[in-house]
Amino acid sequence: MRKRNSTITIRCTDDERRRIKEKAESHGLNVSDLVLRSALGKKIVVAKGLDETNRQIKAIGNNINQIARAVNSGQVRAVGLESVHEDLQMLCGMLGQLISEVKRCR
């Protein structure tokens, strides 16, 4: 990771400072990152919904671990994976939507 060791100071009104801070927060960035990305012409993309996607991934992982434990212990011989398959399809749809949104912002 590169080390940022130079400082640029700007003057702005209290209102401008408040608006810049609000914009940075709404994008999930700190003010420094927002200003740098804006000044350097980089796209600022906010991918909302990642918390829900992450929750779904963890839930699917838990389901798979429970199934594997049951199969390995001999408690289960046949495993119905329909619900896991449905969860994976839903997750793939959510990820597809997020990817489409990010691509539109480029």
Side-chain angles (χ1 to χ4, degrees):
M1 184 170 196
R2 65 180 184 255
K3 182 178 178 184
R4 292 185 175 152
N5 56 6
S6 295
T7 303
I8 299 173
T9 304
I10 62 166
R11 294 197 180 275
C12 59
T13 66
D14 288 339
D15 182 56
E16 289 168 334
R17 182 178 182 198
R18 177 189 55 76
R19 289 172 41 208
I20 291 169
K21 279 187 162 189
E22 286 175 359
K23 188 171 185 176
E25 288 174 8
S26 73
H27 285 81
L29 300 170
N30 60 40
V31 171
S32 184
D33 286 335
L34 175 78
V35 172
L36 282 169
R37 288 180 186 189
S38 297
L40 298 175
K42 294 182 180 179
K43 297 283 184 189
I44 299 172
V45 178
V46 179
K48 294 185 180 186
L50 291 179
D51 290 339
E52 174 62 18
T53 303
N54 195 29
R55 189 185 70 72
Q56 291 289 334
I57 290 171
K58 287 179 182 179
I60 292 168
N62 279 338
N63 288 344
I64 292 170
N65 285 337
Q66 290 171 358
I67 292 167
R69 210 172 302 131
V71 169
N72 289 333
S73 69
Q75 295 174 349
V76 175
R77 288 182 181 248
V79 178
L81 297 174
E82 292 81 18
S83 65
V84 174
H85 180 69
E86 289 171 8
D87 288 346
L88 282 171
Q89 283 183 316
M90 183 178 68
L91 179 61
C92 287
M94 292 169 68
L95 287 172
Q97 288 175 343
L98 287 171
I99 290 168
S100 295
E101 288 179 32
V102 168
K103 285 183 178 179
R104 274 187 266 136
C105 293
R106 288 184 180 174

